[in-house]
Amino acid sequence: MNIKENIAFFLNEIESLKPKNQSCKLLAVSKTQPLKMLEEAYLHGTRIFAENKVQELATKYEALPKDIEWHLIGHLQSNKVKYIAPFVSLVHSVDSLKLLEEINKQALKNGRIIDCLLQIYIAQEETKFGLSSTEAIGIFESPEFKDMKGIKITGLMGMASNTTNQTQIRKEFKSLKTFFDELCLQYPPTDNINLKEISMGMSSDYRIAIEEGSTMIRIGSAIFGERIY
Ligand SMILES: *Cc1c(COP(=O)(O)O)cnc(C)c1O
């Protein structure tokens, strides 16, 4: 794996595939990868890393330069929020009001406002975490949410089905974009809502995701190589 070439490849893919007047960021998904690999990506300009486990995220944050943005993309348990609240830049995987309440609480303890995405369930599979569109609106409409001063919802995250059926994947990404556009009309910016991000697309489906309006692609194996668990 040539990390430098892979990063350059993806930056180029983003430029050529993204709709005009829109930007899309490259997130390096570094889960399971040793620090050496992250350091190499950093050397070649990567400043946003995404991890799916709290402990690993905290350990890597401690070890690496402080101008890195750290994103959490995996399922987050409420009792672990406190370990990442001091530094995390974006939590992609908010899937309950209870979790959001805990992030809010820990953010305020740290004197911060933590940006969050609501993870929306768009895949056909049963196993993926996430909210339905009704549940997401339920969060925005809840009295608890209206009082939260330690979080800001900056957009949505979704994962398409793990399939080779491109039509199906495109349909799922389109559904996330459509829901995002509806929410933007319904919820103009407030103290804790500012909808601008759609986190969708991974190594296998990033092309479709960018074409369908992704603002953040989460690329792991196509940058760093296969993960060894
Ligand atoms: C691991 C992971 C990715 C990256 O997957 P690759 O196929 O290696 O690019 C993206 N998003 C989430 C939520 C992940 O857990």
Side-chain angles (χ1 to χ4, degrees), residues 152-155 188-190 192-197:
K152 186 169 282 193
I153 304 294
T154 60
T190 61
N192 60 11
I193 304 179
N194 186 11
L195 302 172
K196 52 189 180 171
E197 307 291 357

Side-chain angles (χ1 to χ4, degrees), residues 17 124 160-175 202-212:
L17 293 167
Q124 278 182 319
S161 295
N162 183 12
T163 171
T164 53
N165 182 342
Q166 311 277 300
T167 313
Q168 178 65 27
I169 293 170
R170 192 176 294 279
K171 194 172 100 189
E172 291 170 3
F173 285 150
K174 262 191 206 302
S175 75
M202 329 196 329
S203 294
S204 58
D205 55 20
Y206 72 89
R207 282 190 196 85
I208 304 175
I210 298 171
E211 287 168 2
E212 296 303 331

Side-chain angles (χ1 to χ4, degrees), residues 8-9 14 19 37 45 52 56-57 71 97 100-101 110 112 117 120 152 171 181 192 198 204-205 216 218:
F9 171 81
I14 288 174
M37 304 280 258
N52 69 337
E56 196 172 339
L57 181 63
H71 292 201
L97 181 62
L100 200 57
E101 287 181 292
N110 285 278
R112 303 187 62 213
L117 307 180
I120 306 298
K152 186 169 282 193
K171 194 172 100 189
D181 289 342
N192 60 11
I198 308 175
S204 58
D205 55 20
M216 294 180 167
R218 310 180 307 268

Side-chain angles (χ1 to χ4, degrees), residues 29 31 52 73 157 159 202-204 218-222 227:
V29 176
K31 63 189 186 197
N52 69 337
I73 57 174
M157 186 269 249
M159 286 171 85
M202 329 196 329
S203 294
S204 58
R218 310 180 307 268
I219 307 294
S221 45
R227 287 178 286 276

Side-chain angles (χ1 to χ4, degrees), residues 52 54 72-77 93 95 99 119 129:
N52 69 337
V54 164
L72 185 79
I73 57 174
H75 183 63
L76 177 57
Q77 288 172 287
S93 43
D95 60 359
L99 174 60
Q119 182 172 350
F129 292 104

Side-chain angles (χ1 to χ4, degrees), residues 3 33-42 60 64 224:
I3 292 177
Q33 301 296 346
L35 284 177
K36 230 172 62 188
M37 304 280 258
L38 283 76
E39 281 162 356
E40 186 167 347
Y42 181 88
K60 286 173 172 171
L64 290 171
F224 296 110

